[in-house]
């Protein structure tokens, strides 16, 4: 894959309209929002809508979240047998309490044998599809799991591993530990290792590869309101210094297309425009826009209302300097919520109950 760039799955963000905007800018692997395995095998209508891909999307990539080896295997077989995607990624990095308190996401790799069973079932049922996994360093600094998890992944036939170089306790706060990415690459030299964390511009990605020896990068919050980052990434990995620097008018055009794409995807204009509101601040970050106009754009209830607000922007305003800074979620957690007794034995193999997925059924 060249350039070695992956769009990280982000709930409520990486739906088809946003993926299309990013893919138009530059090449890479663009992963859909996280899907729960149980919801997929039960053919939950919301889940089936979430795995719809645009005609232009190739390869098609689905990220699965699951805690039961058998259900994960059934979900992967369904994807392979029905041609739903060309690649499957497994999520072991989600740090949110409603996931970890039931033993899922970034809590699960602590149970080494359970992780192994899940990976074995996924690979066994994937046919010719590559299966990859994304994880964090561990639960906290006292319970690191990424090196063991990486070795298990390599032994079970996982095609590549991605490491978000933070613990679950860090959530999205602090600074990503890029040295951990280097240690993981040393531990599993036989498979590609991708690095994730604190990539806010294309130069960050090139620097991560140079400093850690990783094989590629996974970009999450860095592309919020910045789909053209993928053009910059392609240029950077090809050795070109050219970087996208759109004017505010050009940004407004992308914002309109994004909202229009959401409307086509969701079929209900009012819902689509409301969903787009969270993107407004990310797109406008760094530009000089009055508070009244920002509020108008962030509370628009129709495409026409949004377009009217976008028309009021100062379209020839140039790209602002010093905007390659954190966006989206931030902040650390005081503790990681886990099932009772989860840390007692890293080798036992309890399968979390079905409700470990129910709260996020459909993604």
């Amino acid at each position: 894959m060249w350039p070695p760039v992956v769009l990280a799955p982000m709930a409520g963000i990486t739906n088809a309209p946003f993926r299309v905007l990013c893919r138009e800018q530059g090449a890479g692997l663009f992963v859909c929002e996280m899907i729960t395995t149980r919801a997929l095998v039960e053919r939950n209508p919301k889940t089936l809508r979430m795995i719809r891909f645009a005609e232009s999307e190739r390869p098609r990539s689905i990220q699965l979240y699951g805690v039961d080896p058998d259900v994960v295997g059934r979900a992967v077989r369904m994807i392979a047998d029905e041609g739903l995607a060309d690649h499957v990624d497994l999520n072991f990095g989600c740090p949110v309490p409603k996931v970890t308190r039931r033993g899922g996401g970034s809590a699960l790799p602590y149970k080494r044998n359970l992780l192994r069973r899940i990976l074995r079932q996924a690979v066994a049922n994937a046919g010719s599809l590559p299966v990859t996994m994304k994880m964090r360093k561990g639960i906290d600094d006292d319970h690191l799991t990424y090196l063991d998890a990486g070795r298990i992944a390599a032994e079970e036939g996982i095609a590549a591993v991605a490491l978000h170089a933070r613990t679950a306790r860090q959530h999205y706060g602090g600074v990503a530990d890029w040295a951990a990415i280097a240690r993981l690459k040393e531990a599993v030299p036989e498979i590609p290792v991708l690095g994730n964390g604190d990539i806010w511009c294309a130069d960050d990605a090139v620097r991560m590869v140079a400093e850690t020896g990783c094989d590629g990068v996974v970009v999450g919050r860095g592309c919020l309101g910045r789909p053209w980052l993928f053009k910059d990434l392609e240029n950077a990995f090809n050795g070109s210094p050219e970087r996208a620097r759109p004017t505010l008018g050009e940004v407004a055009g992308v914002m309109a297309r994004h909202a229009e794409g959401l409307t086509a995807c969701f079929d209900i204009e009012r819902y689509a425009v409301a969903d787009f509101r969270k993107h407004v601040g990310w797109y406008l970050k760094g530009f000089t826009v009055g508070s009244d106009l920002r509020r108008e754009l962030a509370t628009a209830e129709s495409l026409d209302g949004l377009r009217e607000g976008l028309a009021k922007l100062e379209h020839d305003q140039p790209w602002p300097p010093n905007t390659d800074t954190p966006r989206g979620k931030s902040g650390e957690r005081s503790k990681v919520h886990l099932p009772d007794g989860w840390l007692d034995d890293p080798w036992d193999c309890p399968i979390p109950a079905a409700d470990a997925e129910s709260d996020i059924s459909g993604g």
Side-chain angles (χ1 to χ4, degrees), residues 136-172:
R136 285 185 174 237
K137 288 174 56 182
I139 292 171
D140 53 35
D141 287 339
D142 295 323
H143 301 90
L144 300 177
T145 56
Y146 69 104
L147 295 178
D148 283 350
R151 288 304 318 159
I152 292 169
E155 292 163 5
E156 295 300 330
I158 292 297
V161 293
L163 177 65
H164 183 166
R166 286 181 169 88
T167 62
R169 186 181 182 279
Q170 280 184 278
H171 205 62
Y172 296 96

Side-chain angles (χ1 to χ4, degrees), residues 140-336:
D140 53 35
D141 287 339
D142 295 323
H143 301 90
L144 300 177
T145 56
Y146 69 104
L147 295 178
D148 283 350
R151 288 304 318 159
I152 292 169
E155 292 163 5
E156 295 300 330
I158 292 297
V161 293
L163 177 65
H164 183 166
R166 286 181 169 88
T167 62
R169 186 181 182 279
Q170 280 184 278
H171 205 62
Y172 296 96
V175 177
D177 177 16
W178 287 8
I181 300 170
R183 288 190 289 271
L184 179 61
K185 181 59 187 175
E186 292 174 357
V188 288
E190 64 268 44
I191 60 174
V193 170
L194 307 180
N196 176 225
D198 294 349
I199 295 177
W200 306 111
C201 66
D203 294 338
D204 290 336
V206 173
R207 183 166 57 87
M208 174 186 280
V209 171
E211 290 182 8
T212 69
C214 68
D215 302 282
V217 299
V218 178
V219 180
R221 294 173 296 154
C223 68
L224 296 177
R226 302 288 190 274
W228 45 86
L229 175 59
F230 290 92
K231 178 185 294 184
D232 290 350
L233 287 163
E234 184 166 2
N235 286 337
F237 277 107
N238 286 325
S240 169
E242 182 180 354
R243 301 291 182 265
R245 294 293 182 263
T247 64
L248 183 52
E250 292 168 328
V251 171
V254 174
M255 293 173 70
R257 285 193 57 214
H258 193 166
E260 290 160 1
L262 289 172
T263 300
C265 179
F266 296 146
D267 299 325
I268 301 173
E269 180 178 323
R270 185 183 181 91
Y271 175 80
V273 174
D275 185 78
F276 178 74
R277 291 172 182 168
K278 60 178 172 280
H279 295 273
V280 170
W282 297 328
Y283 275 114
L284 298 181
K285 183 172 183 177
F287 287 103
T288 301
V289 180
S291 58
D292 289 344
L293 182 50
R294 284 180 181 267
R295 189 178 306 108
E296 179 181 342
L297 291 167
T299 58
E301 297 184 352
S302 68
L303 281 176
D304 285 343
L306 180 64
R307 293 187 187 109
E308 290 174 5
L310 293 173
K312 298 176 184 178
L313 293 170
E314 182 186 347
H315 281 207
D316 59 353
Q317 187 177 146
W319 179 258
N322 304 318
T323 59
D324 296 330
T325 53
R327 292 178 292 283
K329 303 172 184 176
S330 62
E332 299 191 7
R333 301 289 175 129
S334 59
K335 63 177 290 186
V336 179

